[in-house]
Amino acid sequence: MAIKDGVDALDARIIALFTEDPHVGVLGASRRLGVARGTVQARLDRLQERGVIRSFAPQVDPDALGYPVTAFCTLEISQRQGHEPVVAHLAAIPEVLEIHSITGVGDLVVRVAARDNADLGRVIDAIIDDVHVLRANTAICLVTHLPHRTGPLVASAATRSPVE
């Protein structure tokens, strides 16, 4: 049965397999999942077209690149020009990994990587070197207890998906 939004149990199994073993390939996945190769390929194509799977690109660990410090900067910005000028400024800084508009105290939260605390100071200076940034508050990550993950979310979505 096809689903309009979300994923079904087979989609979830395909995503889990490619997450655990990115080198499995379509043929290997079909063998391990016990479904036709064409089914796996069609499912992967559909998941990509719908944006469920955004990329098969490698996941890079900043720590392994020499950037072991992670910090989160909450920025208050001038709202006159909107978020776009600040986002463009931040996107030009290589150590900026993510930018999110938020509610509550602050307007943007930015995840950054740095080589050490002194380098973090340089990155923060680069972040606030924009006329639209009014104030910055930075928190250094001491320990990552749960890195970014989507597996449990995919599994949960597969059990909740409405059938067409």
Side-chain angles (χ1 to χ4, degrees), residues 70-153:
T70 298
F72 296 90
C73 300
T74 303
L75 306 180
E76 292 180 32
I77 64 171
S78 171
Q79 300 284 334
R80 289 201 121 159
Q81 303 298 320
H83 290 72
E84 292 80 18
V86 178
V87 170
H89 166 73
L90 295 173
I93 302 169
E95 295 85 359
V96 170
L97 305 178
E98 295 178 50
I99 307 167
H100 302 274
S101 291
I102 60 172
T103 61
V105 178
D107 302 302
L108 297 172
V109 67
V110 181
R111 183 168 69 102
V112 301
R115 294 184 183 280
D116 53 34
N117 287 350
D119 189 47
L120 177 60
R122 178 194 58 80
V123 173
I124 293 168
D125 286 345
I127 287 171
I128 62 174
D129 188 24
D130 183 285
V131 296
H132 301 98
V133 176
L134 304 176
R135 186 171 294 111
N137 183 7
T138 303
I140 298 173
C141 177
L142 298 176
V143 176
T144 299
H145 295 282
L146 183 66
H148 179 78
R149 66 181 186 157
T150 57
L153 183 63

Side-chain angles (χ1 to χ4, degrees), residues 21-108:
D21 184 3
H23 300 290
V24 69
V26 175
L27 182 59
S30 70
R31 289 178 178 156
R32 287 176 55 183
L33 296 170
V35 298
R37 181 197 171 285
T39 299
V40 173
Q41 187 63 62
R43 294 290 186 117
L44 286 171
D45 291 345
R46 188 183 76 213
L47 290 165
Q48 283 186 285
E49 288 168 10
R50 292 179 31 230
V52 174
I53 295 176
R54 291 190 293 205
S55 173
F56 285 98
Q59 293 182 352
V60 176
D61 182 357
D63 192 9
L65 292 176
Y67 293 84
V69 176
T70 298
F72 296 90
C73 300
T74 303
L75 306 180
E76 292 180 32
I77 64 171
S78 171
Q79 300 284 334
R80 289 201 121 159
Q81 303 298 320
H83 290 72
E84 292 80 18
V86 178
V87 170
H89 166 73
L90 295 173
I93 302 169
E95 295 85 359
V96 170
L97 305 178
E98 295 178 50
I99 307 167
H100 302 274
S101 291
I102 60 172
T103 61
V105 178
D107 302 302
L108 297 172

Side-chain angles (χ1 to χ4, degrees), residues 1-11 42-43 46 50 161-164:
M1 296 178 117
I3 59 169
K4 183 177 179 182
D5 294 315
V7 296
D8 65 12
L10 180 56
D11 290 336
R43 294 290 186 117
R46 188 183 76 213
R50 292 179 31 230
S161 294
V163 178
E164 249 184 14

